[in-house]
């Protein structure tokens, strides 16, 4: 069985689960409109309070259990879709290949959960209490709550007894969550980075025999986010052209592949790093591309981009000719044209879709939605590999 989850722009209507001709199931996923997405960043760069709260987002506190560390704040997440817990409680979640827990706001969460949908176990007939503490530590504070178990509906497929976290304190995500469009996160990484090694929903779908293959694939649609979809249990050939090129994973934590180097107009980056460091993670929960801060600063300087006061992000006047940016993964080139690594903020300002982040486990690159929009990305959990093809 396969399920397909559609990805659409936030401005467009949410698509309800539907059954396509060939039995593929779909759930709507939404995308935060580019302009809203960038505007938030530009505004943020003016506000002292917000700046202060953002300053720590990527500084990961040490001494945590490895599974409890998440290297991002979802400020950079744009795509989300709806899941159902307990038969009839709907939540918009980010389908995030860069983490491995499912969590949603709990009815016991107050201020830090903003106006989000909240899971209420009292309204579910299939709820099973667990009550084990759930904690993820961000540099800026905790996201915490407790585990519960309930049935989860995902694109028309049911996971029986999915253990997830009800979050009662989301203050560690600050405004990214409070004013964000999403009520929670659905992690699609490996359970080795899952808090308490809780099996992910996708692993549960595999274990419960709901899928005919242990892979899922993201198609993010056009720049407007229309018609994107997440397929569970296979791929959707109408959303890519040519053959899928398979790459073995170099670690089963995040979806990590070997990155031979990054080139920009003849200049080579990352290639001189040690073999261990030559890695990239494919992360649907990050909107942009992210690389080591020094490399990204040099790249930004090379193309004449200006640094925003926060987060090692850069802007550039729209329409400036930009060279091709190429990621070489396992010997194969994946080029992005100039217009494919900027996001238009309006008023002639473009955000460079490359930000600097020094990942604790790095140096490594994070290839987020900017990469995945151009390259249909297949995550094959069963065979521990990833596949890439040109998106249609
Ligand atoms: C509660 O959830 C945790 C995390 O998944 C799990 O390790 C534990 O076994 C569960 N406890 C019960 C009683 O189900």
């Amino acid at each position: 069985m396969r399920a397909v989850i559609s990805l659409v722009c936030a401005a467009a209507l949410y698509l309800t689960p539907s059954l396509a001709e060939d039995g593929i199931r779909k759930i709507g996923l939404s995308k935060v409109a580019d302009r809203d997405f960038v505007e938030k960043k530009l505004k943020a760069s003016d506000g002292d309070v917000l700046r202060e709260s953002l300053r720590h987002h990527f500084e990961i506190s040490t001494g945590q259990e490895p599974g409890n560390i998440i290297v991002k704040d979802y400020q950079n997440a744009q795509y989300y879709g709806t899941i159902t817990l307990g038969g009839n409680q709907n939540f918009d979640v980010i389908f995030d290949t860069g983490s491995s827990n499912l969590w949603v706001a709990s009815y016991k969460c107050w201020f830090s959960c903003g106006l989000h949908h909240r899971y209420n176990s009292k309204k579910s007939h299939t709820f099973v209490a667990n009550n084990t503490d759930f904690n993820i530590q961000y540099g800026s504070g905790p996201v915490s709550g407790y585990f519960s178990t309930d049935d989860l509906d995902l694109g028309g497929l049911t996971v029986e007894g999915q253990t997830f976290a009800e979050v009662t304190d989301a203050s560690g995500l600050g405004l990214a969550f409070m004013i964000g469009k999403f009520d929670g996160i659905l992690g699609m990484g490996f359970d080795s980075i899952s808090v308490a090694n809780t099996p992910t929903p996708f692993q549960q779908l595999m274990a419960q025999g709901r899928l005919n293959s242990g892979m899922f694939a993201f198609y993010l649609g056009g720049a407007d986010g229309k018609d994107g979809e997440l397929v569970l249990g296979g791929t959707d050939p109408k959303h890519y052209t040519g053959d899928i090129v398979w790459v073995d994973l170099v670690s089963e934590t995040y979806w990590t592949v070997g990155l031979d180097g990054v080139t920009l107009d003849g200049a080579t980056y990352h290639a001189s790093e040690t073999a261990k460091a030559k890695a990239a993670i494919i992360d649907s929960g990050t909107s942009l591309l992210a690389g080591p801060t020094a490399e990204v600063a040099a790249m930004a300087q090379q193309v004449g981009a200006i640094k925003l006061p926060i987060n090692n992000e850069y802007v550039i006047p729209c329409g400036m000719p930009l060279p091709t940016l190429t990621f070489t993964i396992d010997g194969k080139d994946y080029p992005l044209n100039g217009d494919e690594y900027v996001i238009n903020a309006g008023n002639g300002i473009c955000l460079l879709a490359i930000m600097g982040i020094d990942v604790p486990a790095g140096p490594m690159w994070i290839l987020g939605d900017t990469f995945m929009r151009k390259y249909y990305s297949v995550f094959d959990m069963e065979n521990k590999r990833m596949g890439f093809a040109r998106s249609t």
Side-chain angles (χ1 to χ4, degrees), residues 250-265:
V250 298
S251 98
E252 291 147 35
T253 48
Y254 300 101
W255 290 86
T256 315
V257 294
L259 178 66
D260 302 326
V262 186
T263 57
L264 184 64
D265 204 16

Side-chain angles (χ1 to χ4, degrees), residues 241-247 257-263 326-335 367 371 375 387-390:
T241 55
D243 291 333
I244 295 174
V245 175
W246 295 102
V247 180
V257 294
L259 178 66
D260 302 326
V262 186
T263 57
T326 303
F327 294 91
T328 307
I329 297 169
D330 209 28
K332 191 172 183 308
D333 286 347
Y334 296 88
L367 305 182
F371 182 86
Y375 297 104
F388 301 108
R390 263 306 294 271

Side-chain angles (χ1 to χ4, degrees), residues 279-292:
I281 65 174
I282 314 300
D283 182 5
S284 62
T286 291
S287 184
L288 308 180
L289 309 164

Side-chain angles (χ1 to χ4, degrees), residues 51-85:
R51 177 159 46 234
E52 183 56 26
S53 89
L54 290 174
R55 193 166 64 83
H56 295 291
H57 271 155
F58 295 106
E59 294 171 13
I60 306 304
S61 38
T62 51
Q64 298 294 319
E65 282 178 45
N68 296 11
I69 295 173
I70 285 188
V71 294
K72 62 186 167 196
D73 63 353
Y74 300 101
Q75 180 80 12
N76 275 302
Q78 275 189 289
Y79 292 90
Y80 55 95
T82 303
I83 59 165
T84 307
L85 281 165

Side-chain angles (χ1 to χ4, degrees), residues 128-132 147-149 163 195-199:
V128 179
N130 174 302
N131 291 325
T132 304
F147 284 104
S148 290
T149 300
T163 298
V195 175
N197 290 324
T198 309

Side-chain angles (χ1 to χ4, degrees), residues 358-386:
D358 293 312
V359 180
M364 60 163 67
W365 276 77
I366 299 171
L367 305 182
D369 302 335
T370 301
F371 182 86
M372 291 174 65
R373 261 194 293 277
K374 182 160 185 180
Y375 297 104
Y376 189 86
S377 302
V378 188
F379 299 78
D380 187 347
M381 193 161 263
E382 201 174 330
N383 298 303
K384 320 288 187 219
R385 61 180 185 168
M386 284 219 56

